[in-house]
Amino acid sequence: MAFLEIKDLHAGIGEKEIIKGLNLTIEKGEVHAIMGPNGSGKSTLSNIIAGHPAYTVYGGSILFKGKDLLSLSPDERANSGVFLAFQYPTELPGVGTALFLKTALNAKRKFLGEKELDAVQFMKRLKTRATALGITDEMLKRPVNVGFSGGEKKKIETFQMAFLEPDFCILDEMDSGLDIDALKVVSDGINVMREPHRSFLMITHYQRLLNYIRPDVVHIMVDGRIVRSGDMSLALYLEEKGYEDYR
Amino acid sequence: MKITGNIGFIRKNNVLSPLDLTGGELSFSVDRDETIQIYCLHLIGSLNIKVQLQKEGARCSLNCVYLSHQKARNNLSFEVIHNERQTSSEQIVRGILLDQASMNFLGTIRIPPNSQKCVGTQNHRAVLLSDEASVSAIPELEIYADDVQCSHGSAVGPLDENALFYLQSRGIDKKQATQILLKAFLTDLMPNEIQTVIDEWMAEYV
Ligand SMILES: Nc1ncnc2c1ncn2[C@@H]1O[C@H](COP(=O)(O)OP(=O)(O)O)[C@@H](O)[C@H]1O
Ligand SMILES: [Mg+2]
């Protein structure tokens, strides 16, 4: 049984089909990258895996650890191990970051039948992960994603991921808006999470990120489909030639 | 929870004291350089609050949270009259409606011709948690002086789908996510005495 198996997925918004028969299989412990031009449906795919209600699935299936993912609510998917680091994280005015993370962590522990963390255990876990990603106490006091720069938002997304310890991580354009220093911090944060039980799907426009986080498999997505899969050399080829061959 | 009536408080000279809202009609008059702040939690029926700003430097702030559910048809009216120059007023109204509840809000700011240099603002926002709930918010600005600053704004609609999804994508179920966003919507508006009743209402009905 594959870790994630997407078969002949057709989906879109209203009547507009965006994903047009997509197949993708990811095994446990693997890091996959999807590259593709703007508008090819990469963010749509990640939102559909996470369960965004704006999208409609017309056909096909997504199995995650053997479970029918499409029948689960977004929170059940998250608590089953799916995490999406958003391309554009939503701002939540009035919702404090620390309290938000505590609620999320305890929701997951409850779902898994584990005991909720008390305040001391929570703070310890929060501090350890925050320090590693350069997240300050002051940032944790702010409302979720409010008043953060583009780069800080990406750090916060990565931090949430490290904190919640999902086993399938989707990273949508993690490198956009990051300077080289921030990119290093974020990719170090992701690389330390690479473990045999955890898989990654990295969505990116540029090959740059893949120099920091080496994928096992690279896919090219054009117009709602995966048109070619290969290893890292495919990314290098794209960097040189662009997507012209695949349009 | 048993809803027995609307709850009100007034802050004057930095002292917070309860207001009796059982009659549904209250009026206040504010003197020179005096400030009053009124807070109310509107749960049932009609509530009319009228404030007359009588002398220069008089200020008032009217704050209301309304919560309605089932088939409630409620009415709220705020009326502020700037009887003297250099007086200022503020109206802040936040509502949450469920089921088939409806609310009519009428917010009046009246500034007669001689009351120059007044400031009057009104802001109304409501969240509808059901397609069948409805709100009508009517700002009535009767401004006859020309050198004044007045503004009003109103926004009514469902909770932001992306905000809900963001919380759910982190494992928080829809009910809890809704409560978190509603709490944020009302942040820092009401004194604790009223906030605890709001929390109780949300825990029971949302
Ligand atoms: N909310 C939406 N409403 C309408 N069209 C959308 C929406 N989101 C995405 N699309 C359309 O779907 C296509 C794919 O978009 P997207 O998934 O964001 O692509 P990518 O992430 O690969 O750049 C684009 O043509 C885009 O305009
Ligand atoms: Mg995108």
Side-chain angles (χ1 to χ4, degrees), chain A residues 59-99:
Chain A
S61 63
I62 306 182
L63 292 183
F64 176 58
K65 297 192 268 192
K67 267 194 277 187
D68 172 16
L69 200 65
L70 295 173
S71 70
L72 303 179
S73 64
D75 46 296
E76 289 168 337
R77 298 181 197 198
N79 291 329
S80 308
V82 175
F83 183 96
L84 168 59
F86 289 88
Q87 179 172 7
Y88 303 110
T90 308
E91 299 188 359
L92 305 177
V95 181
T97 304
L99 183 64

Side-chain angles (χ1 to χ4, degrees), chain B residues 35-55:
Chain B
T35 299
I36 64 166
Q37 286 158 314
I38 291 170
Y39 301 94
C40 42
L41 175 61
H42 183 273
L43 299 168
I44 45 174
S46 290
L47 181 62
N48 301 308
I49 296 183
K50 181 171 173 175
V51 178
Q52 310 244 16
L53 301 170
Q54 301 291 39
K55 293 279 157 52

Side-chain angles (χ1 to χ4, degrees), chain A residues 11-187:
Chain A
I13 289 197
E15 304 271 279
K16 183 180 174 182
E17 189 171 31
I18 301 169
I19 304 296
K20 302 170 180 172
L22 182 137
N23 294 289
L24 176 67
T25 301
I26 298 178
E27 300 295 340
K28 212 185 217 177
E30 284 181 347
V31 176
H32 286 227
I34 292 185
M35 303 182 69
N38 261 332
S40 53
K42 304 183 299 298
S43 293
T44 299
L45 175 65
S46 42
N47 276 313
I48 287 168
I49 297 173
H52 196 298
Y55 299 89
T56 311
V57 174
Y58 315 126
S61 63
I62 306 182
L63 292 183
F64 176 58
K65 297 192 268 192
K67 267 194 277 187
D68 172 16
L69 200 65
L70 295 173
S71 70
L72 303 179
S73 64
D75 46 296
E76 289 168 337
R77 298 181 197 198
N79 291 329
S80 308
V82 175
F83 183 96
L84 168 59
F86 289 88
Q87 179 172 7
Y88 303 110
T90 308
E91 299 188 359
L92 305 177
V95 181
T97 304
L99 183 64
F100 158 69
L101 281 170
K102 188 171 179 188
T103 310
L105 183 66
N106 282 334
K108 180 168 184 179
R109 294 180 73 95
K110 198 172 157 199
F111 183 87
L112 298 175
E114 296 169 6
K115 252 182 75 186
E116 296 193 354
L117 287 192
D118 65 31
V120 177
Q121 293 168 314
F122 167 74
M123 281 317 288
K124 197 171 160 213
R125 178 165 170 153
L126 194 71
K127 287 277 157 66
T128 321
R129 308 292 151 84
T131 313
L133 282 153
I135 310 281
T136 62
D137 285 358
E138 186 272 325
M139 287 163 87
L140 293 172
K141 284 194 185 116
R142 282 192 232 166
V144 179
N145 295 322
V146 176
F148 291 109
S149 70
E152 284 173 336
K153 282 185 185 166
K154 299 288 169 144
K155 277 190 189 171
I156 292 273
E157 291 288 287
T158 313
F159 161 64
Q160 288 181 31
M161 186 171 89
F163 182 78
L164 294 171
E165 299 181 345
D167 36 32
F168 179 46
C169 308
I170 308 165
L171 304 155
D172 192 359
E173 307 279 0
M174 214 48 215
D175 50 336
S176 69
L178 293 183
D179 59 29
I180 290 291
D181 292 336
L183 181 59
K184 252 196 100 7
V185 172
V186 166
S187 29

Side-chain angles (χ1 to χ4, degrees), chain B residues 86-144:
Chain B
Q86 293 192 14
T87 51
S88 69
S89 69
E90 158 187 82
Q91 302 176 24
I92 298 175
V93 180
R94 298 285 180 268
I96 298 171
L97 287 99
L98 317 175
D99 312 325
Q100 293 94 37
S102 74
M103 166 57 101
N104 284 303
F105 167 60
L106 177 67
T108 307
I109 304 176
R110 185 176 304 146
I111 308 186
N114 293 328
S115 297
Q116 303 294 1
K117 309 255 183 240
C118 288
V119 179
T121 64
Q122 181 187 107
N123 187 288
H124 168 263
R125 283 168 64 196
V127 174
L128 307 180
L129 293 179
S130 135
D131 292 341
E132 296 169 273
S134 65
V135 172
S136 131
I138 302 170
E140 208 152 87
L141 306 185
E142 299 170 15
I143 318 286
Y144 300 104

Side-chain angles (χ1 to χ4, degrees), chain B residues 10-192:
Chain B
I10 180 168
R11 183 178 285 126
K12 203 169 160 178
N13 303 321
N14 275 322
V15 180
L16 191 70
S17 32
L19 278 177
D20 182 5
L21 303 180
T22 40
E25 303 256 356
L26 285 178
S27 66
F28 299 87
S29 104
V30 188
D31 225 335
R32 185 178 305 277
D33 296 328
E34 203 177 58
T35 299
I36 64 166
Q37 286 158 314
I38 291 170
Y39 301 94
C40 42
L41 175 61
H42 183 273
L43 299 168
I44 45 174
S46 290
L47 181 62
N48 301 308
I49 296 183
K50 181 171 173 175
V51 178
Q52 310 244 16
L53 301 170
Q54 301 291 39
K55 293 279 157 52
E56 267 187 50
R59 299 158 174 273
C60 73
S61 157
L62 303 182
N63 305 278
C64 180
V65 169
Y66 62 83
L67 309 172
S68 320
H69 67 127
Q70 296 169 352
K71 288 182 169 18
R73 315 210 150 274
N74 296 338
N75 296 287
L76 171 70
S77 124
F78 278 167
E79 182 179 2
V80 178
I81 305 161
H82 291 253
N83 283 322
E84 190 51 77
R85 54 187 284 118
Q86 293 192 14
T87 51
S88 69
S89 69
E90 158 187 82
Q91 302 176 24
I92 298 175
V93 180
R94 298 285 180 268
I96 298 171
L97 287 99
L98 317 175
D99 312 325
Q100 293 94 37
S102 74
M103 166 57 101
N104 284 303
F105 167 60
L106 177 67
T108 307
I109 304 176
R110 185 176 304 146
I111 308 186
N114 293 328
S115 297
Q116 303 294 1
K117 309 255 183 240
C118 288
V119 179
T121 64
Q122 181 187 107
N123 187 288
H124 168 263
R125 283 168 64 196
V127 174
L128 307 180
L129 293 179
S130 135
D131 292 341
E132 296 169 273
S134 65
V135 172
S136 131
I138 302 170
E140 208 152 87
L141 306 185
E142 299 170 15
I143 318 286
Y144 300 104
D146 46 24
D147 185 13
V148 297
Q149 284 178 44
C150 280
S151 68
H152 71 95
S154 178
V156 177
L159 277 179
D160 177 27
E161 182 182 75
N162 286 316
L164 267 178
F165 175 60
Y166 192 86
L167 289 164
Q168 283 189 275
S169 78
R170 300 305 184 238
I172 300 168
D173 67 33
K174 190 162 188 181
K175 182 175 165 184
Q176 201 176 6
T178 302
Q179 291 186 345
I180 288 172
L181 293 177
L182 291 178
K183 217 170 156 127
F185 173 64
L186 303 177
T187 299
D188 292 337
L189 216 57
M190 290 287 136
N192 289 335

